[in-house]
Amino acid sequence: MFGRQQRHVFKPTAYGANRRTRRIPRWLVLMLTGIVLGAGGLLFLQKSYGPPRLTVEQSEQLHYDLNSLGMDKQRLQAELTKTKRELTEATAKVESQSKSLVQAQTQIDKQSGDIKMFAEAMPADPRGTSPGIRAASFRSDNNKLIYQILIMQDAGKAAMFNGNAEFTVAGRYSNGRSGSITLPPFDLSLERYVQVEDEVDLPEGFRPRQVTIKIRRDGADKVVATRTLIVSK
């Protein structure tokens, strides 16, 4: 009834253009675009709002400054260690000196007590004056008169005594002639007692035999205390 129909079969040839052109996926394009935009934005932010980039010279200068700071830190640390050591030594020295001072003060207090007791036990001036010459010693050596004198006021007298002492020295010269000399006076100041010791020059060839001590108040000629003592050899 029906006749057989013929179908056309496609047969590719060796030279036919039968391949479809492939395109880049859209997701890849979007991803690459996002990466480029993100990197550009980051660079923009760094350049606009970030810290400025250092040049090579600035970087080298910064490195040098950091090294200098490190060296300064080490030097300061060494100085701090030395200062701490010196402070420790000074503190120990002060503590030692404080202990010595306390010991010295204790000794002074004891000696003051001993001197006070000794002063109370000293015999009074034979003339009974106050101030009085409680004790004195004289000796000669090489044309010098060496002396020690203890002058005291009575315990009830709190007023300060200001005056001077004068020596009249009697003796013999090398030619056998006797004579006396008066030495320049020296100042005295005492409340309870004072000890005076010193030496004075004598004329060449003069041998002292005895000394008369005369004590006067400042601005007065009246002798308030006197005593004559032998010069020891």
Side-chain angles (χ1 to χ4, degrees), residues 113-182:
D114 294 342
I115 291 174
K116 183 178 180 181
M117 183 174 62
F118 175 74
E120 296 297 337
M122 286 295 297
D125 188 306
R127 294 179 178 267
T129 59
S130 180
I133 303 166
R134 297 293 185 92
S137 66
F138 294 90
R139 65 184 179 90
S140 62
D141 184 22
N142 257 352
N143 289 322
K144 291 182 180 295
L145 180 67
I146 304 168
Y147 61 89
Q148 289 182 323
I149 308 171
L150 176 62
I151 303 169
M152 296 181 60
Q153 290 197 106
D154 293 340
K157 288 191 175 182
M160 180 71 69
F161 175 85
N162 295 302
N164 61 77
E166 182 183 77
F167 295 158
T168 299
V169 185
R172 188 182 297 275
Y173 290 94
S174 57
N175 59 8
R177 182 175 59 88
S178 298
S180 63
I181 58 174
T182 300

Side-chain angles (χ1 to χ4, degrees), residues 77-217:
Q77 186 64 42
E79 293 179 356
L80 178 61
T81 302
K82 179 182 178 181
T83 302
K84 287 182 178 179
R85 184 176 66 253
E86 293 176 348
L87 178 60
T88 301
E89 294 175 353
T91 302
K93 185 176 181 180
V94 168
E95 291 177 354
S96 176
Q97 290 178 345
S98 298
K99 291 180 181 178
S100 300
L101 181 60
V102 171
Q103 294 175 355
Q105 187 62 48
T106 302
Q107 187 67 22
I108 289 173
D109 293 340
K110 182 179 181 300
Q111 290 179 352
S112 296
D114 294 342
I115 291 174
K116 183 178 180 181
M117 183 174 62
F118 175 74
E120 296 297 337
M122 286 295 297
D125 188 306
R127 294 179 178 267
T129 59
S130 180
I133 303 166
R134 297 293 185 92
S137 66
F138 294 90
R139 65 184 179 90
S140 62
D141 184 22
N142 257 352
N143 289 322
K144 291 182 180 295
L145 180 67
I146 304 168
Y147 61 89
Q148 289 182 323
I149 308 171
L150 176 62
I151 303 169
M152 296 181 60
Q153 290 197 106
D154 293 340
K157 288 191 175 182
M160 180 71 69
F161 175 85
N162 295 302
N164 61 77
E166 182 183 77
F167 295 158
T168 299
V169 185
R172 188 182 297 275
Y173 290 94
S174 57
N175 59 8
R177 182 175 59 88
S178 298
S180 63
I181 58 174
T182 300
L183 300 177
F186 57 89
D187 293 335
L188 285 177
S189 182
L190 69 144
E191 184 173 352
R192 181 71 174 93
Y193 63 87
V194 65
Q195 179 180 346
V196 183
E197 54 182 320
D198 203 350
E199 60 182 35
V200 291
D201 293 328
L202 296 173
E204 186 71 28
F206 182 79
R207 298 183 60 185
R209 298 177 59 185
Q210 67 180 28
V211 179
T212 299
I213 309 169
K214 297 177 182 179
I215 298 177
R216 299 179 177 87
R217 291 185 183 275

Side-chain angles (χ1 to χ4, degrees), residues 51-64:
R53 293 187 177 182
L54 300 178
T55 63
V56 176
E57 292 79 6
Q58 291 174 335
S59 178
E60 292 178 351
Q61 182 64 38
L62 179 61
H63 184 70
Y64 174 78

